[in-house]
Amino acid sequence: MPLKPLEHDRKYGELDQVVRAHLGRRADDPEALEAYLRHCWRTRPWVIGVAEHQLREYAQNPPGRLRLRLGEYYPVPDVGVPDDELQDWLRGLADRLRASVETGQAPPLATPRTHWEWHARFPELAQLLGGWFGQDMPEEFGDHDTALADYRETTDPGLVAQLVGELRDLLSLPLDESDHALALTELGLEVDPPEPLGPGAWLAELADRLR
């Protein structure tokens, strides 16, 4: 019987976040876990201890093949770690999380450095760009203004307000035009900003029009 959402979150919710922070990167890349820690210390520091516990519990009690096949257990996404090394890798992550909590040492605040961190910090902006400004935008909406109008008309005002806050947050970072272009790409943009605006100017226009 597949895991129910509440059971999954209670047992594996933060474990899943830590592991997904490593997708697309080397398993031993310290920047992946630093990104997770930086975001959590900034927004919800209490979950770091939850993640440490879930990682350690999973490492101590790995699932058998039958439970995985039946969907009764969380299958760790492939991060490039051999099966016989996975438990040690999870324990190593748990040790680093515990050390961060016990010492109170958090990575310094910084611009997001991983794909996971961009999406964790700017989730509603990722929703807008991935959902309304993908490669099919010209065929679906015709132009940027129509796509933005559709987002505003179909999205809860509270989420629109959240998006404005995320845009202001992004614009406050010390980024140049190439950095803004990278941020937009990481967050799901698949079309160019409307002419004659560059990436930074378009972000500023979005914030002004949605506020």
Side-chain angles (χ1 to χ4, degrees), residues 36-77:
Y36 173 81
L37 282 169
R38 180 167 45 247
H39 179 69
C40 290
W41 273 112
R42 180 175 179 267
T43 60
R44 48 193 191 116
W46 57 87
V47 303
I48 300 173
V50 175
E52 185 270 339
H53 174 76
Q54 291 182 356
L55 284 161
R56 209 172 294 283
E57 284 292 307
Y58 195 100
Q60 291 174 354
N61 301 287
R65 293 181 179 178
L66 177 60
R67 296 190 71 183
L68 282 173
R69 182 168 60 82
L70 293 175
E72 295 178 349
Y73 222 95
Y74 168 76
V76 175

Short mmCIF file of all heavy atoms in Angstrom, two decimals, residues 36-77:
data_model
loop_
_atom_site.label_atom_id
_atom_site.label_comp_id
_atom_site.label_asym_id
_atom_site.label_seq_id
_atom_site.Cartn_x
_atom_site.Cartn_y
_atom_site.Cartn_z
N TYR A 36 20.98 23.89 1.56
CA TYR A 36 19.86 23.47 2.40
C TYR A 36 19.92 24.16 3.76
O TYR A 36 18.92 24.70 4.24
CB TYR A 36 19.87 21.95 2.57
CG TYR A 36 18.83 21.45 3.55
CD1 TYR A 36 17.51 21.28 3.16
CD2 TYR A 36 19.18 21.18 4.87
CE1 TYR A 36 16.55 20.85 4.06
CE2 TYR A 36 18.23 20.74 5.78
CZ TYR A 36 16.91 20.58 5.38
OH TYR A 36 15.97 20.16 6.29
N LEU A 37 21.10 24.15 4.39
CA LEU A 37 21.25 24.76 5.70
C LEU A 37 21.02 26.27 5.64
O LEU A 37 20.36 26.84 6.52
CB LEU A 37 22.64 24.47 6.26
CG LEU A 37 22.86 23.08 6.84
CD1 LEU A 37 24.34 22.82 7.11
CD2 LEU A 37 22.05 22.90 8.14
N ARG A 38 21.55 26.92 4.64
CA ARG A 38 21.40 28.37 4.53
C ARG A 38 19.92 28.74 4.44
O ARG A 38 19.44 29.66 5.11
CB ARG A 38 22.16 28.89 3.31
CG ARG A 38 22.04 30.39 3.11
CD ARG A 38 23.04 30.93 2.10
NE ARG A 38 23.14 30.12 0.90
CZ ARG A 38 24.22 29.43 0.56
NH1 ARG A 38 25.29 29.45 1.34
NH2 ARG A 38 24.25 28.71 -0.54
N HIS A 39 19.18 28.00 3.60
CA HIS A 39 17.76 28.31 3.45
C HIS A 39 16.98 28.02 4.73
O HIS A 39 16.14 28.82 5.15
CB HIS A 39 17.18 27.49 2.30
CG HIS A 39 15.72 27.72 2.08
ND1 HIS A 39 15.21 28.91 1.59
CD2 HIS A 39 14.63 26.93 2.32
CE1 HIS A 39 13.90 28.84 1.53
NE2 HIS A 39 13.52 27.65 1.95
N CYS A 40 17.28 26.89 5.37
CA CYS A 40 16.52 26.52 6.57
C CYS A 40 16.85 27.43 7.76
O CYS A 40 15.95 27.80 8.51
CB CYS A 40 16.77 25.06 6.93
SG CYS A 40 16.03 23.90 5.76
N TRP A 41 18.11 27.79 7.95
CA TRP A 41 18.45 28.72 9.03
C TRP A 41 17.74 30.05 8.82
O TRP A 41 17.35 30.72 9.78
CB TRP A 41 19.96 28.93 9.10
CG TRP A 41 20.70 27.93 9.93
CD1 TRP A 41 21.58 26.97 9.49
CD2 TRP A 41 20.65 27.77 11.36
NE1 TRP A 41 22.07 26.23 10.54
CE2 TRP A 41 21.51 26.70 11.70
CE3 TRP A 41 19.95 28.43 12.37
CZ2 TRP A 41 21.71 26.28 13.02
CZ3 TRP A 41 20.14 28.01 13.69
CH2 TRP A 41 21.00 26.96 14.00
N ARG A 42 17.54 30.43 7.57
CA ARG A 42 16.91 31.72 7.25
C ARG A 42 15.40 31.68 7.42
O ARG A 42 14.79 32.68 7.80
CB ARG A 42 17.27 32.10 5.81
CG ARG A 42 16.69 33.42 5.31
CD ARG A 42 17.22 33.72 3.91
NE ARG A 42 16.68 34.95 3.37
CZ ARG A 42 15.58 35.04 2.61
NH1 ARG A 42 14.94 33.93 2.27
NH2 ARG A 42 15.16 36.20 2.15
N THR A 43 14.77 30.54 7.16
CA THR A 43 13.31 30.50 7.09
C THR A 43 12.64 29.61 8.14
O THR A 43 11.56 29.92 8.62
CB THR A 43 12.86 30.02 5.70
OG1 THR A 43 13.39 28.71 5.45
CG2 THR A 43 13.37 30.97 4.62
N ARG A 44 13.25 28.47 8.48
CA ARG A 44 12.61 27.52 9.39
C ARG A 44 13.67 26.64 10.05
O ARG A 44 13.79 25.45 9.74
CB ARG A 44 11.57 26.66 8.65
CG ARG A 44 12.09 26.07 7.36
CD ARG A 44 11.01 25.49 6.48
NE ARG A 44 11.64 24.72 5.41
CZ ARG A 44 11.50 23.42 5.24
NH1 ARG A 44 10.73 22.72 6.04
NH2 ARG A 44 12.10 22.80 4.26
N PRO A 45 14.42 27.21 10.97
CA PRO A 45 15.57 26.48 11.54
C PRO A 45 15.18 25.22 12.31
O PRO A 45 16.02 24.32 12.46
CB PRO A 45 16.22 27.52 12.46
CG PRO A 45 15.16 28.54 12.71
CD PRO A 45 14.33 28.59 11.47
N TRP A 46 13.95 25.14 12.77
CA TRP A 46 13.53 23.98 13.56
C TRP A 46 13.51 22.68 12.76
O TRP A 46 13.54 21.60 13.34
CB TRP A 46 12.14 24.23 14.16
CG TRP A 46 11.09 24.53 13.14
CD1 TRP A 46 10.32 23.66 12.45
CD2 TRP A 46 10.74 25.83 12.65
NE1 TRP A 46 9.50 24.31 11.57
CE2 TRP A 46 9.73 25.64 11.67
CE3 TRP A 46 11.16 27.14 12.94
CZ2 TRP A 46 9.15 26.73 10.99
CZ3 TRP A 46 10.57 28.19 12.25
CH2 TRP A 46 9.58 27.98 11.29
N VAL A 47 13.46 22.75 11.42
CA VAL A 47 13.38 21.52 10.63
C VAL A 47 14.75 20.86 10.46
O VAL A 47 14.81 19.70 10.02
CB VAL A 47 12.75 21.77 9.25
CG1 VAL A 47 11.37 22.39 9.38
CG2 VAL A 47 13.65 22.61 8.36
N ILE A 48 15.83 21.54 10.79
CA ILE A 48 17.15 20.94 10.61
C ILE A 48 17.29 19.72 11.52
O ILE A 48 17.79 18.67 11.11
CB ILE A 48 18.26 21.96 10.88
CG1 ILE A 48 18.12 23.15 9.92
CG2 ILE A 48 19.63 21.31 10.73
CD1 ILE A 48 19.06 24.29 10.22
N GLY A 49 16.82 19.84 12.77
CA GLY A 49 16.85 18.70 13.67
C GLY A 49 15.94 17.58 13.21
O GLY A 49 16.26 16.40 13.39
N VAL A 50 14.80 17.92 12.62
CA VAL A 50 13.89 16.92 12.07
C VAL A 50 14.59 16.16 10.94
O VAL A 50 14.52 14.92 10.85
CB VAL A 50 12.59 17.57 11.55
CG1 VAL A 50 11.70 16.53 10.87
CG2 VAL A 50 11.84 18.24 12.70
N ALA A 51 15.28 16.90 10.06
CA ALA A 51 15.99 16.26 8.96
C ALA A 51 17.09 15.34 9.48
O ALA A 51 17.25 14.22 8.97
CB ALA A 51 16.60 17.33 8.05
N GLU A 52 17.82 15.78 10.49
CA GLU A 52 18.88 14.95 11.06
C GLU A 52 18.31 13.63 11.57
O GLU A 52 18.86 12.56 11.33
CB GLU A 52 19.58 15.71 12.19
CG GLU A 52 20.78 15.02 12.78
CD GLU A 52 20.43 14.10 13.96
OE1 GLU A 52 19.35 14.31 14.56
OE2 GLU A 52 21.22 13.19 14.28
N HIS A 53 17.19 13.70 12.28
CA HIS A 53 16.56 12.50 12.83
C HIS A 53 16.09 11.57 11.71
O HIS A 53 16.31 10.36 11.77
CB HIS A 53 15.38 12.89 13.72
CG HIS A 53 14.59 11.73 14.22
ND1 HIS A 53 15.03 10.90 15.23
CD2 HIS A 53 13.37 11.24 13.83
CE1 HIS A 53 14.13 9.96 15.45
NE2 HIS A 53 13.12 10.14 14.61
N GLN A 54 15.43 12.12 10.70
CA GLN A 54 14.91 11.28 9.62
C GLN A 54 16.03 10.63 8.82
O GLN A 54 15.92 9.46 8.43
CB GLN A 54 14.02 12.13 8.71
CG GLN A 54 12.72 12.56 9.37
CD GLN A 54 11.81 13.35 8.45
OE1 GLN A 54 12.17 13.66 7.31
NE2 GLN A 54 10.64 13.70 8.94
N LEU A 55 17.11 11.36 8.57
CA LEU A 55 18.25 10.78 7.87
C LEU A 55 18.85 9.62 8.65
O LEU A 55 19.14 8.55 8.10
CB LEU A 55 19.32 11.85 7.64
CG LEU A 55 19.06 12.87 6.53
CD1 LEU A 55 19.94 14.09 6.73
CD2 LEU A 55 19.30 12.26 5.16
N ARG A 56 19.01 9.82 9.95
CA ARG A 56 19.64 8.79 10.77
C ARG A 56 18.73 7.57 10.90
O ARG A 56 19.21 6.42 10.84
CB ARG A 56 19.97 9.36 12.16
CG ARG A 56 21.17 8.68 12.80
CD ARG A 56 21.59 9.40 14.08
NE ARG A 56 22.10 10.72 13.85
CZ ARG A 56 23.32 10.99 13.39
NH1 ARG A 56 24.13 10.00 13.07
NH2 ARG A 56 23.72 12.24 13.22
N GLU A 57 17.44 7.79 11.05
CA GLU A 57 16.51 6.67 11.14
C GLU A 57 16.49 5.85 9.85
O GLU A 57 16.47 4.62 9.89
CB GLU A 57 15.11 7.19 11.45
CG GLU A 57 14.89 7.63 12.88
CD GLU A 57 14.93 6.45 13.84
OE1 GLU A 57 14.19 5.47 13.60
OE2 GLU A 57 15.71 6.51 14.81
N TYR A 58 16.51 6.53 8.73
CA TYR A 58 16.50 5.81 7.45
C TYR A 58 17.79 5.02 7.27
O TYR A 58 17.77 3.88 6.78
CB TYR A 58 16.33 6.80 6.31
CG TYR A 58 15.94 6.16 4.99
CD1 TYR A 58 14.62 6.17 4.55
CD2 TYR A 58 16.89 5.55 4.17
CE1 TYR A 58 14.26 5.60 3.34
CE2 TYR A 58 16.54 4.97 2.97
CZ TYR A 58 15.22 4.99 2.55
OH TYR A 58 14.87 4.41 1.36
N ALA A 59 18.91 5.62 7.65
CA ALA A 59 20.19 4.92 7.52
C ALA A 59 20.25 3.68 8.40
O ALA A 59 20.84 2.66 8.02
CB ALA A 59 21.33 5.86 7.86
N GLN A 60 19.63 3.75 9.57
CA GLN A 60 19.66 2.63 10.50
C GLN A 60 18.66 1.55 10.13
O GLN A 60 18.84 0.38 10.49
CB GLN A 60 19.37 3.13 11.92
CG GLN A 60 20.49 3.99 12.50
CD GLN A 60 20.13 4.60 13.85
OE1 GLN A 60 18.99 4.48 14.31
NE2 GLN A 60 21.09 5.25 14.48
N ASN A 61 17.59 1.93 9.43
CA ASN A 61 16.54 0.97 9.08
C ASN A 61 16.20 1.07 7.59
O ASN A 61 15.10 1.50 7.22
CB ASN A 61 15.29 1.22 9.92
CG ASN A 61 15.56 1.11 11.40
OD1 ASN A 61 15.74 0.02 11.94
ND2 ASN A 61 15.60 2.25 12.08
N PRO A 62 17.13 0.70 6.72
CA PRO A 62 16.86 0.81 5.28
C PRO A 62 15.76 -0.16 4.86
O PRO A 62 15.58 -1.23 5.47
CB PRO A 62 18.20 0.44 4.65
CG PRO A 62 18.87 -0.43 5.67
CD PRO A 62 18.45 0.11 7.00
N PRO A 63 15.01 0.20 3.81
CA PRO A 63 13.91 -0.67 3.38
C PRO A 63 14.39 -1.89 2.63
O PRO A 63 15.43 -1.86 1.97
CB PRO A 63 13.10 0.24 2.46
CG PRO A 63 14.13 1.15 1.89
CD PRO A 63 15.10 1.40 3.01
N GLY A 64 13.63 -2.96 2.73
CA GLY A 64 13.89 -4.13 1.91
C GLY A 64 13.25 -3.96 0.55
O GLY A 64 12.44 -3.06 0.32
N ARG A 65 13.57 -4.86 -0.36
CA ARG A 65 13.05 -4.75 -1.72
C ARG A 65 11.53 -4.88 -1.78
O ARG A 65 10.87 -4.22 -2.57
CB ARG A 65 13.69 -5.81 -2.60
CG ARG A 65 15.19 -5.61 -2.83
CD ARG A 65 15.76 -6.68 -3.73
NE ARG A 65 17.19 -6.48 -3.96
CZ ARG A 65 17.95 -7.29 -4.68
NH1 ARG A 65 17.39 -8.37 -5.25
NH2 ARG A 65 19.23 -7.05 -4.84
N LEU A 66 10.97 -5.73 -0.91
CA LEU A 66 9.53 -5.94 -0.94
C LEU A 66 8.79 -4.66 -0.56
O LEU A 66 7.84 -4.27 -1.23
CB LEU A 66 9.13 -7.08 0.00
CG LEU A 66 7.62 -7.33 0.12
CD1 LEU A 66 7.03 -7.69 -1.24
CD2 LEU A 66 7.34 -8.43 1.14
N ARG A 67 9.25 -4.00 0.51
CA ARG A 67 8.56 -2.78 0.95
C ARG A 67 8.69 -1.68 -0.09
O ARG A 67 7.75 -0.91 -0.31
CB ARG A 67 9.11 -2.32 2.29
CG ARG A 67 8.85 -3.32 3.42
CD ARG A 67 9.19 -2.71 4.77
NE ARG A 67 8.23 -1.70 5.14
CZ ARG A 67 8.32 -0.96 6.26
NH1 ARG A 67 9.35 -1.12 7.06
NH2 ARG A 67 7.41 -0.07 6.55
N LEU A 68 9.83 -1.61 -0.74
CA LEU A 68 9.98 -0.62 -1.80
C LEU A 68 9.04 -0.92 -2.96
O LEU A 68 8.40 -0.03 -3.52
CB LEU A 68 11.43 -0.58 -2.29
CG LEU A 68 12.44 0.17 -1.43
CD1 LEU A 68 13.85 -0.04 -1.97
CD2 LEU A 68 12.12 1.65 -1.37
N ARG A 69 8.95 -2.20 -3.33
CA ARG A 69 8.10 -2.59 -4.45
C ARG A 69 6.63 -2.31 -4.15
O ARG A 69 5.86 -1.92 -5.03
CB ARG A 69 8.31 -4.07 -4.78
CG ARG A 69 7.49 -4.55 -5.98
CD ARG A 69 7.96 -5.92 -6.44
NE ARG A 69 7.82 -6.93 -5.40
CZ ARG A 69 6.67 -7.56 -5.13
NH1 ARG A 69 5.58 -7.27 -5.83
NH2 ARG A 69 6.62 -8.47 -4.19
N LEU A 70 6.23 -2.49 -2.91
CA LEU A 70 4.84 -2.25 -2.51
C LEU A 70 4.55 -0.76 -2.30
O LEU A 70 3.40 -0.39 -2.09
CB LEU A 70 4.52 -3.02 -1.22
CG LEU A 70 4.53 -4.55 -1.35
CD1 LEU A 70 4.32 -5.18 0.02
CD2 LEU A 70 3.46 -5.02 -2.33
N GLY A 71 5.59 0.07 -2.34
CA GLY A 71 5.37 1.51 -2.15
C GLY A 71 5.17 1.90 -0.71
O GLY A 71 4.64 2.98 -0.43
N GLU A 72 5.57 1.04 0.23
CA GLU A 72 5.36 1.31 1.65
C GLU A 72 6.53 2.06 2.28
O GLU A 72 6.56 2.26 3.48
CB GLU A 72 5.13 0.00 2.41
CG GLU A 72 3.86 -0.72 1.99
CD GLU A 72 3.69 -2.04 2.72
OE1 GLU A 72 4.65 -2.48 3.37
OE2 GLU A 72 2.59 -2.62 2.63
N TYR A 73 7.49 2.41 1.47
CA TYR A 73 8.70 3.04 2.01
C TYR A 73 9.16 4.11 1.04
O TYR A 73 8.87 4.05 -0.16
CB TYR A 73 9.81 2.00 2.19
CG TYR A 73 10.60 2.13 3.47
CD1 TYR A 73 10.26 1.39 4.59
CD2 TYR A 73 11.68 2.99 3.55
CE1 TYR A 73 10.99 1.49 5.76
CE2 TYR A 73 12.40 3.11 4.72
CZ TYR A 73 12.06 2.35 5.82
OH TYR A 73 12.79 2.46 6.97
N TYR A 74 9.87 5.08 1.54
CA TYR A 74 10.38 6.15 0.70
C TYR A 74 11.61 5.68 -0.08
O TYR A 74 12.60 5.28 0.52
CB TYR A 74 10.75 7.35 1.58
CG TYR A 74 11.56 8.42 0.88
CD1 TYR A 74 10.95 9.30 -0.01
CD2 TYR A 74 12.93 8.55 1.12
CE1 TYR A 74 11.70 10.28 -0.65
CE2 TYR A 74 13.67 9.53 0.49
CZ TYR A 74 13.05 10.39 -0.39
OH TYR A 74 13.79 11.36 -1.01
N PRO A 75 11.57 5.71 -1.41
CA PRO A 75 12.75 5.35 -2.20
C PRO A 75 13.64 6.57 -2.40
O PRO A 75 13.21 7.57 -2.95
CB PRO A 75 12.16 4.87 -3.53
CG PRO A 75 10.88 5.64 -3.65
CD PRO A 75 10.37 5.91 -2.25
N VAL A 76 14.87 6.51 -1.92
CA VAL A 76 15.78 7.64 -2.05
C VAL A 76 16.07 7.89 -3.53
O VAL A 76 16.48 6.96 -4.24
CB VAL A 76 17.09 7.38 -1.28
CG1 VAL A 76 18.09 8.50 -1.52
CG2 VAL A 76 16.81 7.23 0.21
N PRO A 77 15.86 9.10 -4.03
CA PRO A 77 16.21 9.38 -5.43
C PRO A 77 17.69 9.11 -5.70
O PRO A 77 18.53 9.19 -4.80
CB PRO A 77 15.88 10.88 -5.58
CG PRO A 77 14.87 11.15 -4.52
CD PRO A 77 15.24 10.26 -3.37
#
